Amino acid sequence: MGLSSILCTLNGQHLYACWLILFGFLLDLADGAVARQLNACSALGAKLDDFADFTTFGIATSLLLQAHGILSSVFIICYVMAVFIRLCFFSSGIPFVYRGLPCPYASVVLCSTFVLTGGNSFFLHVAAVVMILFMTDQGNYPHDRILETQLWKKTVYIGGLMMLFCCPLRLTCIYYLIWCFSYTLFPSALWSNEY
């Protein structure tokens, strides 16, 4: 999804790029569960997953920030580096817990902000700064094995899938923002595997 999103952005098709990033988010949440169900986990698969995450949630998302000079270019590089650092050092040492906000959630917030504000640079940059801070934060976030836990989480996932394919993109982005903000702001209270 990431490479397709990059091509869409480079061709000025920003809304398609956003749709592909949202679809990549859903695929990212499902790929681990599918691999475990098929007993197809491997070191190569883990490396390919990291590459796909970096491409989709780092590079493709950063292109939505639209560089218009040296300062905005440096800012975009900072966002990409935050995603890179987050992917390199996500392990908290605690089972089923991440350190720092997972980059797919940050990507969905930026993508949704782009759609809902019509690509407004000010709002995009504010959202990117906040997401950089959350990704590089040392806070704990529960592992998002949505398809392998409680029924209500599976319902949220299926709702996201249905919204993406059946609803207008702006309405879909509102759904995804609520989903991601609930995970970002209330990780243990709502998304812990204990509930």
Side-chain angles (χ1 to χ4, degrees):
M1 292 298 113
L3 293 175
S4 298
S5 177
I6 289 168
L7 290 174
C8 286
T9 300
L10 293 176
N11 288 310
Q13 302 294 323
H14 300 293
L15 296 180
Y16 291 122
C18 289
W19 189 91
L20 287 165
I21 290 169
L22 293 176
F23 190 46
F25 171 72
L26 293 175
L27 291 176
D28 185 62
L29 292 175
D31 64 2
V34 170
R36 283 185 287 279
Q37 284 293 327
L38 297 175
N39 199 21
C41 297
S42 69
L44 175 63
K47 291 187 185 313
L48 289 173
D49 184 57
D50 285 344
F51 173 75
D53 287 352
F54 183 69
T55 304
T56 304
F57 308 121
I59 297 171
T61 303
S62 70
L63 290 177
L64 295 174
L65 296 172
Q66 302 174 9
H68 297 294
I70 300 271
L71 190 58
S72 59
S73 297
V74 170
F75 181 71
I76 290 170
I77 291 170
C78 288
Y79 181 82
V80 171
M81 292 308 297
V83 170
F84 180 75
I85 290 167
R86 172 62 187 78
L87 287 170
C88 288
F89 303 106
F90 74 90
S91 179
S92 66
I94 305 168
F96 306 110
V97 175
Y98 292 129
R99 172 102 42 220
L101 179 69
C103 56
Y105 289 91
S107 181
V108 167
V109 169
L110 285 181
C111 182
S112 297
T113 301
F114 185 94
V115 170
L116 295 173
T117 66
N120 183 292
S121 291
F122 174 76
F123 290 114
L124 277 171
H125 287 102
V126 168
V129 167
V130 172
M131 291 301 103
I132 288 170
L133 293 174
F134 274 106
M135 282 190 291
T136 57
D137 178 35
Q138 294 300 304
N140 292 327
Y141 291 85
H143 195 285
D144 50 355
R145 289 186 175 182
I146 287 181
L147 297 178
E148 299 173 275
T149 58
Q150 297 87 356
L151 179 62
W152 75 268
K153 293 178 185 177
K154 294 174 186 172
T155 304
V156 169
Y157 182 88
I158 292 169
L161 194 60
M162 291 176 60
M163 293 289 290
L164 191 63
F165 286 100
C166 301
C167 293
L169 188 57
R170 292 177 70 84
L171 185 61
T172 301
C173 286
I174 292 170
Y175 181 88
Y176 279 78
L177 273 179
I178 293 169
W179 180 356
C180 290
F181 279 144
S182 73
Y183 182 83
T184 303
L185 301 176
F186 310 107
S188 297
L190 292 176
W191 293 95
S192 172
N193 290 327
E194 299 169 4
Y195 300 104

